[in-house]
Amino acid sequence: MVNETRPVLHIPRTPVEYVLTIASFVLLTMIVYISTQWPALPDRIPTHFNFQGEADGWGGKGTVWTLPGIGSVLLIGLTITERFPHAYNYLVPITEATAKAQYQNARLMMVVIKFEIIGLFAYFSWQSIQLAFGRNVGLGSWELPLVLLIIFGTCILFVVRSFQMNKRSQHE
């Protein structure tokens, strides 16, 4: 339920938001890449990886489209969601004085997370194809901790920024 006392502001996107949103469409290049590799792909594709980054689950050739499919839905959904920062859940109170800064921070967080997720999906799709062709790629046991650090680190960074902005606005 949206807090009806929150102001609804129309804040122009920043150049960074534009660049990251456009860069999120790297997913389209992954779809083109998969299409060009499709005829040569083997019938079995790695679909799951253990903590060491080794393939431990396999599926049919068509499973190579799973991550781009999910990524497309996320790309569209998150791009639409970015337009409504007044409807987000916040850990700090939103007032007339703090709304613009908090909305900008939250929207930028959404844009960055969207870019990271889509980029990771594109990387994992590429990696599955490389492994299907017998090429050893990836970071092994470092991959999962790195992915978690990227996603959770981004969330923590923007939450801390939100609290700092709120604290500054209380002192002004």
Side-chain angles (χ1 to χ4, degrees):
M1 181 171 166
V2 177
N3 182 342
E4 302 207 12
T5 61
R6 284 189 191 158
V8 176
L9 305 176
H10 300 285
I11 304 166
R13 291 181 180 273
T14 65
V16 170
E17 290 172 327
Y18 276 117
V19 168
L20 289 176
T21 295
I22 291 167
S24 293
F25 283 87
V26 69
L27 182 69
L28 298 176
T29 61
M30 183 48 51
I31 291 169
V32 170
Y33 176 70
I34 292 171
S35 298
T36 63
Q37 299 301 308
W38 183 259
L41 283 175
D43 291 333
R44 281 180 19 130
I45 303 290
T47 59
H48 190 267
F49 302 87
N50 63 22
F51 287 111
Q52 285 75 40
E54 301 160 342
D56 64 357
W58 298 81
K61 185 175 180 176
T63 60
V64 76
W65 294 105
T66 303
L67 286 179
I70 295 169
S72 296
V73 171
L74 286 172
L75 181 62
I76 292 165
L78 291 172
T79 300
I80 291 169
T81 303
E82 291 164 16
R83 298 174 184 250
F84 306 102
H86 61 278
Y88 297 175
N89 290 322
Y90 291 88
L91 297 174
V92 297
I94 303 299
T95 64
E96 291 283 338
T98 63
K100 182 178 179 185
Q102 290 292 342
Y103 291 176
Q104 286 176 319
N105 184 58
R107 188 176 67 194
L108 181 59
M109 180 180 80
M110 292 289 287
V111 170
V112 170
I113 288 173
K114 175 179 69 175
F115 171 73
E116 291 171 351
I117 290 171
I118 299 303
L120 288 168
F121 276 25
Y123 169 72
F124 292 142
S125 294
W126 172 83
Q127 183 181 46
S128 287
I129 290 172
Q130 296 307 304
L131 290 169
F133 287 138
R135 299 180 192 122
N136 191 10
V137 297
L139 300 173
S141 61
W142 287 94
E143 205 156 60
L144 179 61
L146 184 60
V147 166
L148 294 174
L149 179 66
I150 289 169
I151 300 295
F152 288 117
T154 298
C155 292
I156 291 167
L157 171 77
F158 281 97
V159 167
V160 167
R161 280 183 55 174
S162 178
F163 280 113
Q164 289 173 340
M165 289 187 307
N166 192 54
K167 187 181 267 186
R168 275 194 304 268
S169 71
Q170 289 174 350
H171 294 349
E172 291 176 357

